[in-house]
Amino acid sequence: MSRILIAEDEERISKFMEKGLRSAGHAASVVGDGITALDYATSGEFDLLILDVGLPRLDGFTVLGLLRESKVPLPVIMVTARTSVQDTVAGLNAGADDYLAKPFHVEELLARIRIRLRDPRPDDADHVLKCGELVLDPHSRIARVGAQEVDLSTREFALAETFIRHPGQVLSREQLLNSVWGYDYSGASNVVDVYVLYLRKKLGADRFVTVRGTGYRLAAV
């Protein structure tokens, strides 16, 4: 049974989510402000956080930023009534694992949660991943190039991990979106290209090879 924290100040919505989660077999706890959400989220007692953007005391973006600055690995699904592309990108860039616009069906929320709570592969829990000089430790979320440790955001680490689990394999933008962002993305977004650029700057430009018209592959350099 997964333990899920709901940070939502609108009682009608929090009850809707709590009921849906409990019916699906999850244990759900609800808090109504950002300071309490931050306190609970750093307790180590939860497996996932559903985080509303418009919380009192501390807004959702601030809570998320503080969690990521503290290297708290808790998966975060942000929910908000804001539907602009700018808000979505801001949430993802801040380190959210997914972003869900209100109103939404409980089945969609549960599907997003299932993606984020997938059990790690048994042989990966305490095993570093290597490709050439690139080394990732999924357990500690540490990235290294040779002997040098590199600071990656949550999203950057997830994208790098997707590549290193498929070394040499050409991955389409759609595959990367589904794996890292957790949902089928429609529209002419360049979010994958932007994050590949981030990884090239931090981990080495030659590692991430563009396959024209298809996507990218990780090279062992």
Side-chain angles (χ1 to χ4, degrees):
M1 180 172 61
S2 299
R3 303 159 299 173
I4 297 177
L5 177 62
I6 300 169
E8 168 64 63
D9 64 319
E10 191 170 340
E11 186 177 2
R12 176 181 59 86
I13 297 177
S14 65
K15 284 187 174 180
F16 160 75
M17 289 192 286
E18 184 180 15
K19 181 180 178 181
L21 292 176
R22 291 187 185 279
S23 68
H26 300 294
S29 300
V30 178
V31 296
D33 67 86
I35 291 179
T36 307
L38 183 62
D39 183 43
Y40 278 45
T42 55
S43 68
E45 297 179 359
F46 295 94
D47 301 306
L48 183 140
L49 168 62
I50 300 172
L51 180 62
D52 181 45
V53 170
L55 292 173
R57 302 179 76 191
L58 282 180
D59 65 70
F61 287 129
T62 303
V63 172
L64 179 62
L66 291 170
L67 287 174
R68 296 319 185 211
E69 285 176 12
S70 302
K71 305 296 184 183
V72 176
L74 186 69
V76 176
I77 299 175
M78 298 197 81
V79 294
T80 180
R82 305 177 188 179
T83 57
S84 71
V85 173
Q86 290 84 354
D87 287 319
T88 303
V89 172
L92 296 176
N93 284 343
D97 296 279
D98 210 339
Y99 197 96
L100 190 58
K102 301 174 184 176
F104 51 83
H105 295 290
V106 70
E107 291 83 3
E108 182 179 9
L109 176 62
L110 292 173
R112 305 286 183 92
I113 290 171
R114 281 194 295 272
I115 290 171
R116 294 302 153 200
L117 294 181
R118 283 174 180 161
D119 291 333
R121 300 177 188 180
D123 58 341
D124 287 340
D126 298 307
H127 179 68
V128 295
L129 305 171
K130 299 180 181 180
C131 183
E133 291 194 339
L134 176 61
V135 179
L136 299 181
D137 186 338
H139 182 68
S140 64
R141 303 189 67 80
I142 290 175
R144 290 190 178 89
V145 176
Q148 181 179 1
E149 187 172 320
V150 182
D151 185 30
L152 297 180
S153 70
T154 300
R155 188 72 57 181
E156 290 166 350
F157 192 96
L159 183 59
E161 184 178 350
T162 300
F163 276 116
I164 206 168
R165 290 189 185 280
H166 304 87
Q169 179 180 335
V170 179
L171 301 175
S172 69
R173 290 172 176 81
E174 290 75 16
Q175 287 175 304
L176 295 170
L177 281 167
N178 290 338
S179 176
V180 177
W181 280 262
Y183 59 96
D184 294 324
Y185 193 91
S186 60
S189 170
N190 67 340
V191 65
V192 169
D193 305 288
V194 170
Y195 272 83
V196 168
L197 179 60
Y198 293 161
L199 292 185
R200 283 173 168 165
K201 289 180 178 179
K202 292 186 175 184
L203 301 178
D206 294 338
R207 280 195 170 78
F208 303 94
V209 179
T210 301
V211 180
R212 190 175 300 276
T214 304
Y216 299 95
R217 66 177 176 84
L218 179 65
V221 296

